[in-house]
Amino acid sequence: MKNLAILTGGGDAPGLNAVIRAVVKTAIQEYGCEVLGVKNGFDGFLDEGGIFPLDLDAVRGILPRGGTILGTANRGNPFARKVKRNGVETIEDTSQQVIENIQSLDLDALIVVGGDGTLGIARDLHRLGVPVIGVPKTIDNDISGTDFTFGFDTALNAAMDAIDRLHTTAEAHHRVMILELMGRNAGFIALHAGLAGGADVILIPEIPFRFEAIARKIRRRVARGTYFSILSVAEGAHPVGQNQIYAIEGDAIYVARLGGIGNLVAKYLSEEAGFETRVTVLGHLQRGGSPTAFDRSLATRFGSAAVRLASSGGFGRMVALQGTRIIDVSLEEALAVPRRVDINGDEVLTARAIGISFGEN
Ligand code: F6P
């Protein structure tokens, strides 16, 4: 193995730099191999100056830094790229050009660090013969085949901290506080932050809720003399029989962006149920900042394992955490079914057992 390249694609997640650092150190020190950095996801294969050498100096000091030194793009799909021709925007399939550029670099492996969208592109490029290795990244934790993606733990801690902060002001003002959290169609952040922060109600996409059930839970607390309540609400949560709420519609390039469910629940609780209610949307604070110890360690283990997987020719596969071990699974398998909260799993059962409502009945 002489020549590796690495790119980061999709929304950023804390720990990306830790993966890059581990890839570069392992490749150079263990395998005597050169590493190229690809800027801004797959766009780097098409843009002028998009490829550059990554040496040990380039990765010095980046372990605790959020973001990614390579840059990222969540619209950089080579199979559907937005280009301007004579002032008119069109969508073009540039995958052949990307593949030719990859071939001209004579890469032994391309390490792709991304979530479901980016890893889906990696899988499709692998089907066309590109020697791809995947590393699962996302704060949403919604990729199958791995118990955790890196980035999730940092986002979760930011969410838990927000719940802690909301608790004191909620109690002081006898208010209902709603915290809307990211996660797309998976409720992992809202569920785990709700458990860790002691929320009274958790709303997740996997368990459609009823407004009246939420109000009943809050009234029961009031009847016991507790005049405040905290709701941990996933952006993808939705009432029984109703669709999810989108802040921005999607198109051929951007996926639709969820947002607004917190305000809808607040409207019901204040206008129909009579509770003074406030909404906080934590947003991209969940994606920023320094990775936690768990994410730094997982990202480092993933990066190093990805180089070992490349050296053994495990193309079309993704490194993963199962239990305490780093293993690898095929990208086809990992992407076949997205990971969701197990509604019969221990976390949900425990939440119910300690009196947390999912807004069901
Ligand atoms: O997938 C990560 C994520 O942060 C989701 O939780 C969220 O819905 C989405 O990305 C936000 O996307 P953007 O960064 O484009 O606003």
Side-chain angles (χ1 to χ4, degrees), residues 11 74 138-140 182-184 189 235 257-258 284 287:
N74 56 4
T138 165
I139 65 162
D140 305 335
M182 284 184 167
R184 267 196 232 276
I189 299 177
E235 62 183 1
R257 218 177 315 138
L258 289 158
H284 293 80
R287 293 229 305 254

Side-chain angles (χ1 to χ4, degrees), residues 92-307:
E92 279 185 6
D93 182 351
T94 55
S95 56
Q96 216 38 52
Q97 202 182 330
V98 167
I99 291 170
E100 278 163 25
N101 291 350
I102 290 173
Q103 282 164 348
S104 71
L105 291 167
D106 203 20
L107 295 177
D108 292 304
L110 170 64
I111 296 179
V112 176
V113 192
D116 54 356
T118 305
L119 291 177
I121 297 166
R123 176 204 53 206
D124 294 347
L125 289 174
H126 176 253
R127 285 178 184 162
L128 297 170
V130 177
V132 153
I133 300 286
V135 178
K137 159 248 60 163
T138 165
I139 65 162
D140 305 335
N141 203 35
D142 60 353
I143 298 179
S144 293
T146 186
D147 291 346
F148 288 104
T149 53
F150 72 86
F152 170 66
D153 188 64
T154 308
L156 171 59
N157 275 280
M160 182 192 70
D161 180 56
I163 292 180
D164 285 350
R165 287 166 188 271
L166 289 174
H167 247 114
T168 54
T169 172
E171 192 168 9
H173 283 269
H174 319 297
R175 280 173 174 160
V176 174
M177 288 291 191
I178 296 177
L179 180 64
E180 183 178 305
L181 295 163
M182 284 184 167
R184 267 196 232 276
N185 298 314
F188 291 105
I189 299 177
L191 172 62
H192 287 255
L195 273 173
D200 307 295
V201 176
I202 296 175
L203 304 180
I204 56 175
E206 294 86 348
I207 306 179
F209 66 85
R210 294 182 194 280
F211 291 104
E212 182 46 38
I214 304 170
R216 257 201 312 275
K217 166 72 184 173
I218 298 170
R219 269 190 227 111
R220 276 203 301 274
R221 284 173 58 79
V222 170
R224 287 204 317 265
T226 308
Y227 298 104
F228 73 95
S229 289
I230 306 284
L231 278 65
S232 176
V233 179
E235 62 183 1
H238 58 96
V240 173
Q242 289 184 36
N243 293 330
Q244 290 171 311
I245 298 187
Y246 288 93
I248 310 260
E249 291 302 316
D251 60 21
I253 304 289
Y254 286 104
V255 292
R257 218 177 315 138
L258 289 158
I261 187 63
N263 280 319
L264 192 72
V265 174
K267 192 170 156 53
Y268 176 87
L269 291 179
S270 52
E271 291 177 10
E272 307 290 326
F275 297 113
E276 190 179 0
T277 307
R278 296 288 187 272
V279 182
T280 302
V281 180
L282 196 56
H284 293 80
L285 290 172
Q286 291 158 98
R287 293 229 305 254
S290 187
T292 57
F294 181 86
D295 279 339
R296 291 183 200 191
S297 161
L298 182 62
T300 301
R301 293 172 74 197
F302 274 173
S304 201
V307 177

